[in-house]
C-alpha cells in the first residue's frame, strides 16, 4: 500500500527507494505483544493481525489508532504463523503442535476447532490452498493437506520430506505448492501437485535456506545464506549476507531483509 512507508538501512546508511518516501509517524509505534512477533498479516477487512511467542493472536484496527479489537487465546505455546482463508476465518499454528481455526466475525472472536497433534513437532506455517483445503508444514519432515469442508478436519495427504519443512507457498492460480527446508540436510525446494499429491519437481539449492519462500510472477524465491534466487530467475544474485526475510513489493521487485537488521530492494533480472 503506497500509504505505508519503509526505512532502509544498508551498509550503515539510510537509503530511500522509489516510489516509497521517508516518513516516520511515532504515534503508530505501540507495544503489540510481550515477546517476539512471528507473523503479521493484513485481513480482508483492512485490520491487521499478528501472532507471537506470548501465545496470543491479536487483531488491530489501523483506522482507530491501532487499538486492539480482538485477542485470541488458546494456544499453549508460541504461535508461529497465521493466515486468513477466503471464508475470512483465521488459521494458526504453534509450537504446541496444534492448528486452530478462529472465527473473528464476532467482536469477541473465538476458536471454532482445534486439530490437536496435527504434527509431531513444531508447526511452522499454515496456509489456505482453496476454499475447501489448507496446508501445514512442520519440523516433523512433512507437509500435510487438510479439508475445510468437514468438522473435524480430515487429513487428505501427507507429503514427506527429508528434513524439517520451514516454509510453504502456493503458486497463484495453480494447483502447485512449493515447500522448502532450512537445512543443508535437504537442500531442495520441492514442488508438489495438489491434485495428485505427488512431487513434480525438485530444485537443488546449495546453501542453508531460511523461512522465506514467496511467489512472484509465477516463480518461487528462496532466501539463502548469501543470495536471493528462484528456479527461473536470479534476483541480484550477490553477497548480501544472510537473507532472513522476503516481501513482494510488485511483479518484479522484492524487499530483502538481512540478518544484521539491514534491508535492500532487489529487482528481477533476466538470468
Amino acid at each position: 500500500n503506497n500509504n505505508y512507508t519503509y526505512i532502509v538501512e544498508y551498509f550503515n546508511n539510510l537509503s530511500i527507494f522509489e516510489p516509497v518516501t521517508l516518513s516516520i509517524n511515532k504515534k503508530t509505534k505501540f507495544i503489540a505483544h510481550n515477546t517476539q512477533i512471528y507473523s503479521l498479516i493484513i485481513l480482508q477487512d483492512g485490520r491487521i493481525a499478528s501472532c507471537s511467542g506470548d501465545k496470543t493472536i491479536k487483531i488491530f484496527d489501523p483506522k482507530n489508532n491501532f487499538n486492539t479489537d480482538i485477542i485470541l487465546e488458546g494456544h499453549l505455546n508460541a504461535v508461529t504463523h497465521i493466515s486468513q482463508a477466503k471464508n475470512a476465518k483465521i488459521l494458526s499454528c504453534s509450537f504446541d503442535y496444534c492448528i486452530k481455526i478462529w472465527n473473528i466475525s464476532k467482536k469477541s472472536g473465538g476458536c471454532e476447532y482445534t486439530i490437536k497433534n496435527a504434527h509431531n513437532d513444531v508447526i511452522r506455517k499454515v496456509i489456505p490452498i482453496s476454499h475447501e483445503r489448507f496446508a501445514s508444514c512442520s519440523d516433523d519432515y512433512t507437509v500435510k493437506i487438510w479439508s475445510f469442508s468437514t468438522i473435524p478436519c480430515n487429513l487428505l495427504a501427507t507429503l514427506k520430506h527429508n528434513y524439517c519443512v520451514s516454509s510453504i507457498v502456493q503458486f497463484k492460480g495453480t494447483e502447485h505448492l512449493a515447500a522448502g527446508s532450512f537445512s543443508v540436510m535437504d537442500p531442495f525446494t520441492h514442488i508438489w501437485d495438489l491434485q495428485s499429491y505427488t512431487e513434480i519437481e525438485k530444485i537443488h539449492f546449495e546453501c542453508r535456506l531460511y523461512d522465506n519462500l514467496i511467489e512472484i510472477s509465477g516463480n518461487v524465491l528462496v532466501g539463502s545464506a548469501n543470495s536471493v534466487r528462484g528456479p527461473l530467475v536470479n534476483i541480484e544474485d550477490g553477497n548480501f549476507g544472510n537473507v532472513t526475510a522476503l516481501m513482494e513489493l510488485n511483479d518484479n521487485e522484492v524487499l530483502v531483509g538481512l540478518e544484521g537488521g539491514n534491508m535492500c530492494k532487489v529487482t528481477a533480472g533476466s538470468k
Side-chain angles (χ1 to χ4, degrees):
N1 187 316
N2 288 332
N3 294 325
Y4 288 86
T5 58
Y6 302 88
I7 303 171
V8 180
E9 185 182 4
Y10 192 41
F11 295 132
N12 298 320
N13 293 314
L14 280 176
S15 302
I16 306 168
F17 51 83
E18 295 296 337
V20 181
T21 57
L22 180 64
S23 176
I24 303 173
N25 184 348
K26 294 182 179 179
K27 292 181 180 179
T28 61
K29 182 179 179 179
F30 61 96
I31 298 175
H33 291 272
N34 297 326
T35 185
Q36 178 179 349
I37 297 173
Y38 282 96
S39 182
L40 186 68
I41 61 172
I42 298 176
L43 300 177
Q44 296 166 11
D45 61 9
R47 291 182 295 174
I48 294 172
S50 60
C51 66
S52 166
D54 66 9
K55 309 177 188 178
T56 69
I57 300 163
K58 293 186 178 181
I59 298 175
F60 306 93
D61 187 355
K63 296 179 181 179
N64 189 22
N65 296 319
F66 287 89
N67 287 336
T68 304
D69 274 359
I70 300 174
I71 300 177
L72 303 175
E73 297 178 295
H75 279 291
L76 303 178
N77 210 321
V79 186
T80 53
H81 189 252
I82 52 174
S83 61
Q84 188 173 32
K86 292 182 179 181
N87 61 9
K89 293 179 181 179
I90 300 292
L91 301 170
S92 67
C93 59
S94 169
F95 275 59
D96 64 11
Y97 304 1
C98 295
I99 295 172
K100 289 182 178 288
I101 301 173
W102 306 85
N103 188 335
I104 58 170
S105 61
K106 297 180 180 179
K107 184 66 178 178
S108 59
C111 180
E112 283 197 345
Y113 186 69
T114 299
I115 306 175
K116 295 181 179 180
N117 297 315
H119 286 266
N120 296 323
D121 209 325
V122 172
I123 306 173
R124 297 294 176 178
K125 281 195 172 181
V126 57
I127 62 170
I129 55 176
S130 70
H131 285 287
E132 297 183 347
R133 294 178 298 167
F134 61 93
S136 58
C137 66
S138 168
D139 286 2
D140 69 2
Y141 299 16
T142 68
V143 175
K144 292 187 176 182
I145 311 298
W146 305 87
S147 171
F148 256 141
S149 59
T150 59
I151 296 294
C153 299
N154 292 327
L155 177 62
L156 301 177
T158 299
L159 315 179
K160 295 182 179 180
H161 286 241
N162 296 322
Y163 205 73
C164 307
V165 187
S166 60
S167 190
I168 49 177
V169 64
Q170 183 182 14
F171 290 97
K172 296 184 182 76
T174 74
E175 285 289 314
H176 294 163
L177 182 82
S181 174
F182 55 72
S183 173
V184 293
M185 299 296 292
D186 186 11
F188 295 95
T189 297
H190 302 262
I191 311 298
W192 297 89
D193 182 87
L194 292 173
Q195 292 183 327
S196 62
Y197 300 124
T198 57
E199 186 177 58
I200 58 175
E201 189 175 0
K202 189 162 62 173
I203 302 156
H204 186 263
F205 211 81
E206 297 176 355
C207 301
R208 171 187 169 101
L209 308 183
Y210 286 86
D211 181 16
N212 49 23
L213 286 172
I214 65 170
E215 185 265 343
I216 179 172
S217 299
N219 302 294
V220 64
L221 305 181
V222 184
S224 78
N226 59 8
S227 64
V228 183
R229 296 179 182 176
L232 302 179
V233 294
N234 286 339
I235 296 191
E236 299 293 333
D237 188 5
N239 185 17
F240 289 123
N242 290 340
V243 178
T244 57
L246 297 172
M247 186 182 77
E248 179 183 353
L249 294 175
N250 52 50
D251 284 344
N252 65 350
E253 292 181 320
V254 175
L255 184 66
V256 179
L258 307 175
E259 189 172 46
N262 297 327
M263 293 186 187
C264 61
K265 185 186 73 170
V266 295
T267 304
S270 58
K271 296 183 179 180

